[in-house]
Amino acid sequence: MPGKNISKAAPLSPHEVALREELRADVQKLAGEIGERNMWHYAQLNTAADFIEKSFSGAGLHPRRDSYEVRGQPCHNLEAEIPGARPEIHLIGAHYDSVSGSPGANDNGTGVAAMLALARRFAARQPKHTLRFVAFVNEEPPYFLSGEMGSFVYAGRCKAHGDKISAMISLETVGYFSDAPNSQIYPSRVLGAFYPNVGNFIGFVSNVHSRTLLRQVVALFRKHAKIPSEGAALPWFIPGVSWSDQWSFWKNGYPGIMVTDTAPFRYPYYHSAKDTPDKLDYDRFALVVSGMEKVIEALDKL
Ligand SMILES: [Zn+2]
């Protein structure tokens, strides 16, 4: 679904300026203050979990820990639910661990900051669908696409409980943009021929099975958001398509999409020690999140 290209970020509304500062503060907390957080930096991983839990509570939500063990060490997914009138669940998720050797500002401090900002904005509302906000542990290697991945454990339990998840939205690396020519690359030459070579847009990606959800979300985002977007429903084996927590939900039969700045196909500091908070474009990051707020709102009414 190639879309129109607009250069330069659109001006922010006062609401978006406040959102931008909230996002900046949460990325700073996760990547600037806590820093690298994973099983090799276990205290920091748990400090991040505590911070997310407190953020949910601060929004008036009642977080729950969904825990499991990896080689005897407890790991926690964190969930906050806003019950709706209908049993179908719209789930907004982001992984909070960072890859070994990286403070994880963009990957995935941005996804967590976005998820928390959205949770705060929906906390006092009464949605039709049940809304669930989830922070996942252990997305990065060596757990990546394995049975010990936090979201895989979580999604398996959802299936066992009979949870009716009708939309899973994975927020994965959403804060880097560039107006430079050829700042955007692709995992295949075919995609490169159809999609822009300037990395100034936000991407929506799904497997073929989730294409209806993908089309709905992209259409709603384009109707409401002030930043360009590109969408693609692609076979799961194309590099990048499965590379986050949506994979775990696909594996359990649920439709899921990923929202991403495309990470390794654009971001020069991907999975490096240089993935620090100063690299991000907070204006455009805020436009992505304000757009997603409208998408979740509109999706709830469908
Ligand atoms: Zn990631």
Side-chain angles (χ1 to χ4, degrees):
M1 269 184 275
K4 289 188 288 234
N5 233 342
I6 311 160
S7 67
K8 288 245 267 318
L12 271 62
S13 69
H15 169 82
E16 286 157 348
V17 169
L19 172 61
R20 178 187 68 196
E21 296 315 310
E22 194 178 316
L23 295 168
R24 193 198 303 275
D26 283 356
V27 170
Q28 178 58 30
K29 175 76 190 179
L30 288 160
E33 209 177 297
I34 298 172
E36 184 174 344
R37 50 201 178 280
N38 49 47
M39 294 304 281
W40 298 270
H41 290 73
Y42 186 65
Q44 290 88 334
L45 185 69
N46 287 315
T47 304
D50 292 343
F51 166 69
I52 293 161
E53 203 166 51
K54 271 195 204 113
S55 301
F56 280 142
S57 305
L61 296 165
H62 304 286
R64 190 184 73 82
R65 283 191 176 214
D66 171 71
S67 306
Y68 68 103
E69 282 189 4
V70 173
R71 264 159 262 125
Q73 288 193 291
C75 309
H76 313 283
N77 298 310
L78 305 153
E79 161 198 279
E81 189 173 275
I82 305 170
R86 289 169 56 164
E88 294 93 352
I89 298 162
H90 291 170
L91 189 151
I92 319 301
H95 75 86
Y96 70 91
D97 60 317
S98 70
V99 77
S100 178
S102 173
N106 200 16
D107 184 6
N108 193 26
T110 56
V112 174
M115 187 273 292
L116 290 174
L118 291 166
R120 290 185 194 105
R121 277 153 185 77
F122 285 93
R125 301 194 202 178
Q126 289 185 315
K128 263 190 355 191
H129 299 76
T130 293
L131 268 183
R132 228 187 246 178
F133 296 90
V134 189
F136 297 113
V137 72
N138 296 346
E139 186 269 354
E140 298 286 2
Y143 309 108
F144 184 63
L145 311 188
S146 86
E148 288 182 323
M149 194 176 175
S151 56
F152 187 81
V153 173
Y154 181 91
R157 290 178 182 175
C158 290
K159 192 182 176 187
H161 294 153
D163 289 356
K164 294 184 169 62
I165 300 169
S166 54
M168 187 277 172
I169 298 175
S170 170
L171 302 167
E172 171 64 67
T173 310
V174 287
Y176 184 78
F177 302 88
S178 171
D179 292 313
N182 304 315
S183 51
Q184 184 66 51
I185 60 165
Y186 294 90
S188 91
R189 261 197 278 163
V190 180
L191 288 175
F194 284 97
Y195 289 91
N197 67 6
V198 176
N200 62 356
F201 61 89
I202 188 72
F204 294 87
V205 183
S206 79
N207 61 354
V208 174
H209 175 74
S210 306
R211 63 190 179 279
T212 307
L213 174 64
L214 182 97
R215 288 192 188 122
Q216 282 175 331
V217 168
V218 172
L220 293 170
F221 190 87
R222 286 182 179 167
K223 187 170 169 195
H224 296 289
K226 299 193 293 191
I227 181 163
S229 56
E230 299 295 336
L234 296 165
W236 60 269
F237 53 80
I238 291 191
V241 173
S242 302
W243 290 359
S244 191
D245 301 304
Q246 69 283 0
W247 172 83
S248 304
F249 288 80
W250 299 343
K251 282 285 177 191
N252 284 282
Y254 295 122
I257 66 163
M258 170 170 63
V259 186
T260 182
D261 66 18
T262 75
F265 304 107
R266 176 188 305 173
Y267 187 45
Y269 314 105
Y270 176 69
H271 279 193
S272 88
K274 291 182 181 161
D275 181 11
T276 47
D278 56 302
K279 305 301 191 314
L280 308 180
D281 180 337
Y282 291 94
D283 277 8
R284 284 191 253 205
F285 178 20
L287 293 179
V288 169
V289 180
S290 72
M292 286 311 296
E293 181 185 355
K294 301 273 174 41
V295 168
I296 296 164
E297 206 172 82
L299 209 55
D300 186 51
K301 292 185 181 127
L302 290 181

